[in-house]
Amino acid sequence: MEPLSGDITDQAPADPAATDDMLASQPIGYWTGLVHEAVTRRLRDAMARIDVTQPQYWVLNRVSGGPTAPDREEVITQLTPLAGGRHEIPRVIDQLLHRGWLRIDADQSLHLTDAGEAARIRLRGLATELRTEVHKGISDEEYVAALKVLRTMIANVGGDGSS
């Protein structure tokens, strides 16, 4: 493989104590994995304290987020790639139906109940608070630059950025 531009930095072993001058040689997978784990754990811990799971939040957002009400299979198909296995989203839908946060109409479309919408709004507020915590000391410009770098890396290895 030919270098795309400039000098190529050798890949060093992952080192959580790497100094700034050593960061260019650190493996991206290691660092993105740590970020994913830490941020996901923090969000899920905060949600657990109010008896909600991240997949429940995904389902509430998906049911609320389209021009037409989705049916159960649409929600399952769209969210399963994010979940921990193919059975997670069907279980979550059942939990939310049981909790009274979702209802199914005669056409089998899913809808948020008033309680479900209130929960979604409360969870959105929590997610926004946690986003503020995660982004502390990081400007929007730095954040955008980081995501652009990650997009480029995904494209460099033939990915399209979808799950």
Side-chain angles (χ1 to χ4, degrees):
M1 216 183 263
E2 244 180 75
L4 297 177
S5 66
D7 295 333
I8 299 297
T9 301
D10 286 339
Q11 180 75 50
D15 181 1
T19 59
D20 286 358
D21 63 324
M22 298 168 53
L23 288 177
S25 67
Q26 288 292 289
I28 189 67
Y30 172 77
W31 289 97
T32 57
L34 287 180
V35 169
H36 178 357
E37 182 181 314
V39 171
T40 300
R41 182 181 55 245
R42 178 71 179 91
L43 178 63
R44 289 182 175 187
D45 287 351
M47 288 181 170
R49 285 193 285 281
I50 59 171
D51 193 28
V52 180
T53 67
Q54 187 180 31
Q56 288 172 340
Y57 181 47
W58 296 337
V59 170
L60 292 172
N61 277 329
R62 175 56 195 98
V63 170
S64 136
T68 60
D71 66 25
R72 181 183 182 94
E73 289 309 311
E74 287 175 83
V75 174
I76 291 168
T77 298
Q78 289 179 349
L79 297 179
T80 292
L82 302 173
R86 63 186 171 97
H87 301 292
E88 180 70 15
I89 299 304
R91 287 182 190 127
V92 167
I93 292 169
D94 290 341
Q95 291 167 344
L96 295 175
L97 287 165
H98 176 75
R99 189 175 273 194
W101 289 3
L102 288 182
R103 67 176 176 79
I104 297 179
D105 67 18
D107 295 327
Q108 299 303 302
S109 296
L110 295 169
H111 301 271
L112 294 183
T113 63
D114 289 343
E117 177 62 8
R120 189 190 68 77
I121 290 169
R122 187 173 69 246
L123 288 164
R124 183 177 181 139
L126 175 63
T128 299
E129 287 174 27
L130 291 171
R131 182 187 190 281
T132 299
E133 179 183 324
V134 169
H135 288 238
K136 184 178 178 183
I138 302 167
S139 71
D140 284 349
E141 293 77 19
E142 290 170 314
Y143 182 71
V144 168
L147 292 185
K148 284 181 173 182
V149 166
L150 294 173
R151 278 183 175 172
T152 300
M153 288 179 167
I154 292 167
N156 288 346
V157 296
D160 64 7
S162 64
S163 295

